[in-house]
Amino acid sequence: QSQFGCALLRTPTARTTGKTHHTMHWGSLLAAAAAAATPQERQLAGVSTSATSGQRWKTERKRRFEGVVGLTNIDRPRWPRPRLKCVRAAVCTTINALTQPIEIVANASDWCLVVVGDAITPGDAYQRLARQKPDKVAYLSLEDQRRLPYETSAAMPERHFGRKNVGYVYAAHAGASQIFDFDDDNALLSATALDGLKPTTKVYLASGQGPVNPYPWFGASKAWPRGLPLDSLNAANASLSTTKSTVQLGAVQGLAQRDPDVDAIYRLAPRNALPLPFFFERKAASENLIALSHKTMAPFNAQATLWFRDAFAALYLPTTVHGRVSDIWRSYAAQAAFRCQGLSLAFSPPVVEQDRNAHDFMGDYMSERPLYEEAGALVEYLLAWPCPSGSSLPAVFERLFVDLYERGFIEVQDVGRLQAFLRDLIRATDHGAALPGRANRHRRGGWRSGAGSG
């Protein structure tokens, strides 16, 4: 709160659908505050003294983290294994009745399914599905989550998209070396849509500088993904290599047909200018991957992304921002961590079709405001963020979250919740799969995980 009595309000935490805000007389309030403020206070509050322009978000250290940093001396109780034993696990959270996309994954061979419930999830159908397929499906109601030995279960707020973090820990505990992070309204195009995607693979490389838009590479020249900085919409895109190179992948973002992940500005625009629905070019995912160079970044979501074991520590979804911001902030932080570990992010042709749940577009716009106002500054900061020497991915991600808190992108609770999540991952993998990012080796000026991925 500033000296002239204006509190800086962030978008409230919630699940993925925003709600239209009831308006107060903000214009009068801001005008009165600006009139009473000194020039320095006006600058801090983002109130411009110019008739033509406001203030851009600035990535400056605004506060100091007072907690403990460092994942040391972690107790390692010998947890019993979950009843699921998985190599590949799909994880979603839902507050809706059982959907066809969830049933498709439940019936896919070689996949386990973990469905994370919340306070208002109608659980009966999910419980029946888990009873019918006890070796393939786990439904975690809130009561089930409270009985799990994970710190994450108690740390996550209810009625928030971030409860999905419990499912990630559960999947890793069940032995998964791949996690398909998906939404309940994104249906796999086929049961084999993700087959052939491997952590060490050949890709086309996208070279450039700063934020890039991957959608035109796959045939959608007018569209952009939710979370792309607005001042990058008309910027020159990255150039693509004509030959393939071998990279170590941390994650693969699969695109969505029909109703792809675009922001509320796109959805509110005239349909004759920006089409919706639209369809990307259909190609085999594993043969047409495009990976980003470490000098570029693009947003990716929690709707259809495949994660490999070496990157599991970067799965944590922030909980002190709205659900429509959470996965985008995670995506940018993950790419900074990937750079430090020698991992790459790739985009693939569509692997799902989205039949989008009902949304209030103006509510989505209000929820997404941090994306429009802060994403450009966040990307600029993360591309220049110095990698801590010799650190594992969990340690890198912890340091990133401390720095993001100190610069106002997230709140302090997310640092503690991330630390609980990372401790759980260490414990969950201690007696089975290798700890994500535990062993590291120096390579090309950075650090990468030496643990194998499935």
Side-chain angles (χ1 to χ4, degrees):
Q1 185 163 329
S2 72
Q3 295 177 5
F4 52 86
C6 285
L8 301 177
L9 303 180
R10 295 187 65 88
T11 306
T13 60
R15 293 191 69 95
T16 54
T17 302
K19 294 183 178 179
T20 305
H21 291 201
H22 295 289
T23 57
M24 299 172 65
H25 295 293
W26 289 110
S28 300
L29 176 61
L30 288 174
T38 66
Q40 292 81 7
E41 289 171 336
R42 282 196 292 271
Q43 184 176 10
L44 285 172
V47 179
S48 175
T49 56
S50 166
T52 59
S53 181
Q55 297 289 326
R56 294 175 68 101
W57 174 274
K58 293 183 179 179
T59 306
E60 299 172 335
R61 191 175 189 183
K62 300 172 174 64
R63 53 203 177 184
R64 182 179 296 276
F65 179 67
E66 301 293 344
V68 176
V69 179
L71 301 168
T72 59
N73 299 320
I74 298 173
D75 63 302
R76 286 174 165 81
R78 187 169 289 276
W79 288 345
R81 278 287 197 186
R83 57 179 174 78
L84 297 186
K85 294 182 180 180
C86 309
V87 175
R88 301 196 294 175
V91 177
C92 74
T93 184
T94 184
I95 56 173
N96 298 311
L98 182 61
T99 63
Q100 184 187 29
I102 291 177
E103 290 186 289
I104 290 173
V105 174
N107 291 318
S109 61
D110 300 325
W111 283 93
C112 294
L113 170 63
V114 181
V115 180
V116 183
D118 207 335
I120 58 174
T121 305
D124 290 350
Y126 295 105
Q127 290 168 345
R128 284 195 298 272
L129 182 64
R131 287 194 298 268
Q132 292 165 4
K133 298 177 179 291
D135 297 329
K136 285 179 58 66
V137 178
Y139 171 64
L140 305 178
S141 67
L142 271 184
E143 184 178 348
D144 295 328
Q145 294 170 49
R146 295 185 185 112
R147 288 197 294 263
L148 292 170
Y150 313 149
E151 288 185 67
T152 307
S153 301
M156 294 304 110
E158 295 182 12
R159 300 174 187 266
H160 193 281
F161 188 54
R163 291 221 69 88
K164 207 174 192 182
N165 292 318
V166 179
Y168 303 145
V169 174
Y170 188 95
H173 193 190
S177 59
Q178 297 181 13
I179 292 178
F180 179 50
D181 188 16
F182 81 107
D183 265 2
D184 63 0
D185 55 0
N186 281 254
L188 284 171
L189 294 176
S190 72
T192 60
L194 302 172
D195 288 0
L197 295 175
K198 299 177 180 179
T200 303
T201 192
K202 290 187 175 182
V203 300
Y204 297 103
L205 287 175
S207 300
Q209 187 74 41
V212 295
N213 179 6
Y215 282 8
W217 304 334
F218 299 94
S221 60
K222 295 183 178 181
W224 63 90
R226 173 173 54 94
L228 186 71
L230 294 182
D231 54 4
S232 298
L233 296 186
N234 295 304
N237 219 358
S239 59
L240 295 182
S241 63
T242 57
T243 58
K244 290 185 176 182
S245 302
T246 299
V247 299
Q248 185 80 10
L249 294 176
V252 177
Q253 166 76 87
L255 300 184
Q257 294 288 51
R258 182 180 159 86
D259 199 349
D261 189 19
V262 293
D263 62 27
I265 290 177
Y266 187 100
R267 294 184 183 280
L268 289 164
R271 290 285 71 86
N272 60 351
L274 299 176
L276 198 69
F278 64 84
F279 294 83
F280 296 101
E281 296 173 356
R282 184 76 183 270
K283 297 178 180 178
S286 60
E287 298 298 321
N288 295 277
L289 297 176
I290 297 176
L292 305 188
S293 76
H294 289 156
K295 294 181 179 181
T296 64
M297 282 189 177
F300 67 93
N301 59 41
Q303 298 176 10
T305 301
L306 183 67
W307 292 73
F308 298 107
R309 181 189 294 155
D310 283 0
F312 282 1
L315 271 163
Y316 175 81
L317 288 163
T319 59
T320 59
V321 294
H322 195 279
R324 297 200 59 75
V325 176
S326 176
D327 58 343
I328 303 303
W329 271 194
R330 175 187 72 175
S331 78
Y332 285 133
Q335 288 171 81
F338 287 1
R339 169 171 57 85
C340 296
Q341 298 288 300
L343 300 173
S344 295
L345 165 70
F347 286 80
S348 84
V351 298
V352 297
E353 180 172 310
Q354 180 169 211
D355 184 9
R356 197 171 190 244
N357 295 325
H359 281 247
D360 174 349
F361 294 164
M362 278 305 300
D364 284 352
Y365 170 84
M366 295 301 294
S367 303
E368 293 171 2
R369 281 186 59 188
L371 302 181
Y372 309 137
E373 297 167 5
E374 302 169 26
L378 177 61
V379 171
E380 182 180 11
Y381 172 71
L382 291 176
L383 282 171
W385 190 77
C387 296
S389 178
S391 296
S392 66
L393 183 62
V396 169
F397 214 55
E398 179 191 31
R399 184 69 250 176
L400 274 166
F401 266 58
V402 169
D403 288 353
L404 294 183
Y405 160 69
E406 292 184 339
R407 285 151 184 83
F409 291 102
I410 57 175
E411 298 305 319
V412 69
Q413 294 91 334
D414 262 321
V415 179
R417 290 166 184 167
L418 170 68
Q419 290 171 329
F421 174 82
L422 294 174
R423 287 192 295 267
D424 280 342
L425 271 185
I426 291 170
R427 295 166 181 142
T429 56
D430 216 28
H431 307 294
L435 169 64
R438 176 183 289 167
N440 296 273
R441 64 174 182 264
H442 196 268
R443 182 186 182 189
R444 297 176 186 171
W447 288 82
R448 58 161 292 179
S449 171
S453 293

